């Protein structure tokens, strides 16, 4: 658990539970469920680290993240009978993970002295691509490409992040506001069925 | 736009438009369309750079490529109503991109002092794997694996490239001939329905 | 063939043949079949090398591995008519490859001075992810996620490996026992239809 921070722990746990429920919908066995939870939680950060050359990837040496995935998967399996609607639970934990991991990705970019545009790209990759790899592995069309507001939420949150920072707001409140923006906007967009235009619908 | 050359600009634009039309066929929203265009145009080069250890990847820091993808996607969306047959347009731009990016990949290999065989492999990866990742993301079986002449075209073009170079032809005409060979061979192979044998058809 | 060892040669050949038969089931053309064989045999090791930062990947410069894939694919194509049941052949060679590549991955970890847990993770990634990428490319749900004992076999073999090593058994017999454990356990688990629980079956 050496270098994991609270924000990473919460994001990892949330995405692991989301992954566990996605795997349940496809009736995988317990090990397949763990792998899918692992991919969902750590896939985005792994892709980010590969793209920026931060290898060897941390989870190969530090077992904190893997342990959180394991415990979250077990929790997800134990509480499954209490849950009526897998899809809503998946949505809730996915939104939490989306918010926390966007902030983690932006922090990575800032710590490398990157331009805000690059930081937002890293945040979006960190938050979204675990789910993309999960969906591809389960033969689903990735959520990110569907007519739902998904990656757009991360970009919106990242933009809010750098506007507030530019205005002189201290880092901690900026991170919290960014996080809440993403979680709330994601949940509201699903509840009220907001979506981006698919302008060729008319054809 | 710092270090983009004409050949990369044309290849990126062509693959972005091909990606835009592939996304239209699946009726994605505008943001999903942009991501698919981005993956199609930059996925092959990104995989190449990861395999040869040229990270951090360039597009995280230089926004020229991303801008070309954005403009090409917008152009594709604007002109969509003028187009009767998405599939033919996709094929045309895909062939252009295939030719240009094979040359880009071969140049990368040459600049690293690699053996012609490795250069041809890099050219093929650069040209083909953006489309592979796009097709997997859209739950299509990748074009490269279907009964169409696809990656074979890049290998043919690459072979022509190094034979001409060996014969003492200067670099620029070699690149142009390689490029034309690939584009024409790809278009002809689809028009006349050439394909490699699937010898187990008899079983 | 510079730095390929017997264990890698056998694993590469076995996975190439398994890949060839998986491609046959989908009736790909000869080039697509070669690419699928290549991905099956070298995909897991490539992912491992990317994750630990061992790039440029070896097969871009040393053609031994590619040559083995080519010869194995040709052998698979030539002998296809002698074979009644593609699926059983695929299973057999897949099990052989699984055993050999788990040992190769563990050796990689040991040579980098990694902890046994990390070595077992590398062994499992090396052995399993070529097949995962193959299955995703062919639009199959990856075997690793299905209700079959698959990755679990590699973890079991890896655990046996380090227990024996801890007990003072010399390296060579340890490797052979690990390998046999994996191949036999995999074959027996399919024959007797062992599987991990899918505890939500009751819902």
């Amino acid at each position: 658990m050496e270098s994991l921070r609270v924000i990473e722990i919460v994001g990892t746990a949330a995405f692991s539970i989301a992954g566990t429920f996605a795997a349940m919908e496809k009736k995988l066995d317990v090990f397949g469920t763990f792998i899918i939870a692992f991919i969902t939680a750590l896939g985005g950060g792994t892709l980010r680290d590969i793209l920026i050359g931060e290898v060897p990837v941390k989870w190969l040496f530090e077992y904190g993240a893997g342990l959180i995935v394991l415990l979250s998967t077990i929790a997800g399996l134990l509480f499954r009978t209490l849950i009526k609607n897998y899809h809503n639970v998946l949505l809730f934990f996915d939104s939490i993970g989306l918010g926390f991991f966007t902030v983690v990705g932006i922090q990575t970019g800032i710590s490398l002295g990157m331009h805000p545009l690059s930081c937002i790209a890293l945040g979006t990759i960190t938050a979204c691509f675990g789910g993309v790899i999960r969906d591809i592995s389960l033969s689903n069309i990735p959520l990110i490409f569907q007519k739902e507001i998904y990656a757009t939420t991360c970009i919106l949150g990242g933009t809010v992040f750098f506007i507030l920072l530019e205005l002189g707001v201290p880092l901690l409140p900026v991170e919290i506001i960014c996080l809440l923006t993403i979680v709330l906007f994601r949940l509201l967009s699903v509840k009220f069925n907001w979506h981006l235009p698919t302008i060729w619908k008319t054809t």
Side-chain angles (χ1 to χ4, degrees), chain A residues 69-166:
Chain A
V69 175
L70 186 62
L71 296 176
S72 308
T73 308
I74 293 171
L77 295 178
L78 289 179
F79 290 109
R80 75 193 186 286
T81 47
L82 303 178
I83 287 158
K84 301 275 171 286
N85 189 327
Y86 285 179
H87 207 74
N88 279 352
V89 177
L90 198 162
L91 169 67
F92 178 73
F93 283 103
D94 203 62
S95 304
I96 305 279
L98 209 63
F100 277 80
F101 272 2
T102 303
V103 175
V104 169
I106 290 174
Q107 289 174 338
T108 305
I110 290 176
S111 75
L112 293 172
M114 289 167 75
H115 185 278
L117 267 181
S118 304
C119 294
I120 295 175
L122 282 190
T124 306
I125 290 168
T126 309
C128 295
F129 274 77
V132 169
I133 305 171
R134 172 196 67 203
D135 290 337
I136 291 175
S137 299
L138 294 174
S139 295
N140 295 328
I141 290 201
L143 214 55
I144 197 180
F145 301 132
Q146 292 175 24
K147 284 173 284 294
E148 269 187 44
I149 295 205
Y150 195 81
T152 318
T153 314
C154 304
I155 294 172
L156 175 76
T159 308
V160 167
F161 187 104
F162 284 103
I163 288 174
L164 292 177
L165 209 64
E166 193 64 28

Side-chain angles (χ1 to χ4, degrees), chain A residues 23-104:
Chain A
M24 280 184 192
E25 287 193 322
K26 291 270 176 169
K27 305 203 180 302
L28 301 195
D29 69 27
V30 289
F31 185 77
T33 302
F34 171 73
I35 297 277
I36 289 289
F38 194 96
I39 286 174
T40 309
L42 300 176
T46 300
L47 178 60
R48 177 199 65 213
D49 289 342
I50 290 172
L51 290 175
I52 61 177
E54 285 285 312
V55 286
V57 294
K58 231 171 55 177
W59 53 260
L60 268 175
F61 300 93
E62 299 175 11
Y63 306 125
L67 192 63
I68 295 168
V69 175
L70 186 62
L71 296 176
S72 308
T73 308
I74 293 171
L77 295 178
L78 289 179
F79 290 109
R80 75 193 186 286
T81 47
L82 303 178
I83 287 158
K84 301 275 171 286
N85 189 327
Y86 285 179
H87 207 74
N88 279 352
V89 177
L90 198 162
L91 169 67
F92 178 73
F93 283 103
D94 203 62
S95 304
I96 305 279
L98 209 63
F100 277 80
F101 272 2
T102 303
V103 175
V104 169

